[in-house]
Amino acid sequence: MNLVIDRDRLLSEIETLASFSDAEAPAVTRIVFTPTDLKARAWLKEHCEDAGLSVRQDAIGNTFARWSGSDPAASVVGTGSHIDAIPNAGRYDGIVGVLGGLEAMRALRQSGFRPKHSIELLVFTSEEPTRFGIGCLGSRLLSGTCSADAASKLTDRDGASLEQVRLAAGFAGELAAVKLATGYYKAFVELHIEQGPILERERIALGVVTHIAAPASFRVSIEGSGGHAGGVLMADRKDALCAAAELILAIENAALTSGAIDTVATVGMCEIFPGAVNSIPSRVHLSVDIRDTDLQRRDAVMQKMETVCRAISDKRQVSIHTELLNADPPVDSAPEVIDALTQSCRKHSVSFLPMVSRAYHDSLFIARIAPVAMLFIPCRHGYSHRPDEFASTEDIARGALVLAQTLATLSA
Ligand code: GLV
Ligand code: MN
Ligand code: MN
């Protein structure tokens, strides 16, 4: 089988997809179900159809592009990732798994290979939590991790419900029907940039993901007392932002002192009310993101945060409310998919490193219903979720080649 990845086409498609953006280049912002996202989806659907794939979309907008196997009733071999991008992001996160997956399928077709199991490219809806506050919306529904009922209650910052937004975007049908039938997948492989520095540092071509870390996130509301920045004496203040500052540092410290480098915690959003230079902050909303490869350690940081909230609330006479948005367990990759990936690396003489993903991915949820593993491509300095995120065309093409070989093995 002669697999040829068309690098120029891959590069040009990555460039075109990056042009569907609500931020000035090189930054990319593409929030789910915005007009920009819908334009990008339409462009991608056309490319999948041009590649000879048949496309279907479910009620949440997950997009499946199928190459039917010689046994169309057999379980499916899946690949794919996401095309939504957080504010001020780069052009590779998610994208290399989608366009690299499409290119891998084209290379397989071109080579004359004919799969027994159908191969499907899956473009997940809203891997990023930007709009509805929870990440991996599409894969949570596909795997039954999130019920249709719970999903339909989600709202965005403007108060628009997921129901309203998805219908306006043209995705109708029952959310309950998104869940995939048991045994739908034979295997699923996601290609992604590493989003960390290890492959580049160690000069290893690819990463084979053996575990995905456990993510959790909270929305925290702090209610103090506002007033005049000149008139209210310091001793009489209940400044919500000062309470938030203490809490943010305590969360950082809880992660720093967990005893493992795998514990990470981030406060990425802070909204201050009323937000005036001469007004004491009366209300603050924070987002908290806590992750670890070890569930007990991750949960210990979450508990520490709750304890600190009570202590700050007592000390500063402010009320602190925490809302848990998600606390997902980690997953192990499936040995048979890891095996197919490592054999493919060996076949093409590509060096690889078994590694952990500290970022979450839709694979975290698909792993609940299918044997899953991921393939990582190095990215410069490990940068991701920022405009200067970069992966070389050579590295992406190498990832697509190994992915193609793996899809061939799994679908034969
Ligand atoms: C995914 O984008 C993550 O935040 O890990
Ligand atoms: Mn991301
Ligand atoms: Mn991603």
Side-chain angles (χ1 to χ4, degrees), residues 306-338:
E306 297 284 4
T307 308
V308 166
C309 282
R310 283 192 293 274
I312 295 173
S313 167
D314 286 350
K315 182 174 122 192
R316 292 185 169 270
Q317 294 296 291
V318 297
S319 77
I320 305 184
H321 174 75
T322 60
E323 182 192 353
L324 179 66
L325 299 176
N326 68 292
D328 304 294
V331 297
D332 297 335
S333 301
E336 65 267 37
V337 189
I338 293 180

Side-chain angles (χ1 to χ4, degrees), residues 82 86 93 127-129 195 289 291 358-361 385:
H82 62 100
I86 66 163
D93 174 7
E127 191 267 352
E128 302 291 4
Q195 303 183 290
D289 177 308
R291 310 182 191 204
R358 290 185 179 75
Y360 62 69
H361 303 280
H385 283 186

Side-chain angles (χ1 to χ4, degrees), residues 16-260:
T16 306
L17 192 44
S19 73
F20 297 104
S21 169
D22 288 320
E24 203 173 310
V28 176
T29 299
R30 198 164 41 244
I31 313 297
V32 67
F33 297 147
T34 55
T36 303
D37 175 51
L38 297 180
K39 276 185 213 142
R41 284 166 176 266
W43 172 86
L44 184 58
K45 182 167 178 269
E46 205 178 299
H47 275 62
C48 289
E49 286 167 347
D50 287 350
L53 308 177
S54 52
V55 176
R56 82 172 170 94
Q57 290 171 317
D58 67 17
I60 193 68
N62 290 314
T63 301
F64 300 76
R66 173 182 280 237
W67 177 15
S68 277
S70 60
D71 181 359
S75 52
V76 168
V77 173
T79 190
S81 196
H82 62 100
I83 63 161
D84 60 329
I86 66 163
N88 204 40
R91 58 173 59 179
Y92 302 94
D93 174 7
I95 306 308
V96 303
V98 172
L99 295 177
L102 177 58
E103 190 54 39
M105 287 168 79
R106 286 181 183 130
L108 281 168
R109 288 167 76 87
Q110 192 72 30
S111 75
F113 172 78
R114 290 290 167 261
K116 172 175 175 245
H117 295 257
S118 299
I119 302 178
E120 269 184 2
L121 178 72
L122 174 46
V123 187
F124 294 99
T125 285
S126 197
E127 191 267 352
E128 302 291 4
T130 315
R131 184 153 190 182
F132 293 102
I134 186 155
C136 300
L137 196 48
S139 52
R140 283 179 194 272
L141 282 161
L142 289 167
S143 59
T145 309
C146 174
S147 69
D149 194 41
S152 62
K153 292 199 178 102
L154 294 169
T155 52
D156 69 9
R157 246 193 230 186
D158 303 324
S161 71
L162 175 65
E163 278 306 277
Q164 291 169 317
V165 174
R166 77 172 175 108
L167 290 172
F171 300 105
E174 292 289 317
L175 280 183
V178 171
K179 187 174 178 321
L180 292 172
T182 315
Y184 182 86
Y185 281 120
K186 176 173 185 254
F188 190 90
V189 194
E190 181 172 359
L191 178 69
H192 205 281
I193 54 167
E194 181 198 341
Q195 303 183 290
I198 296 168
L199 292 172
E200 182 187 58
R201 210 176 273 165
E202 308 279 329
R203 296 177 192 278
I204 294 177
L206 294 173
V208 173
V209 174
T210 52
H211 310 276
I212 305 178
S217 66
F218 293 86
R219 196 176 283 138
V220 178
S221 311
I222 304 175
E223 196 79 49
S225 178
H228 198 287
V232 182
L233 296 176
M234 295 310 284
D236 298 331
R237 294 194 182 200
K238 293 175 185 168
D239 185 321
L241 185 57
C242 289
E246 246 187 79
L247 178 58
I248 292 167
L249 291 178
I251 292 168
E252 182 195 40
N253 192 50
L256 276 170
T257 56
S258 81

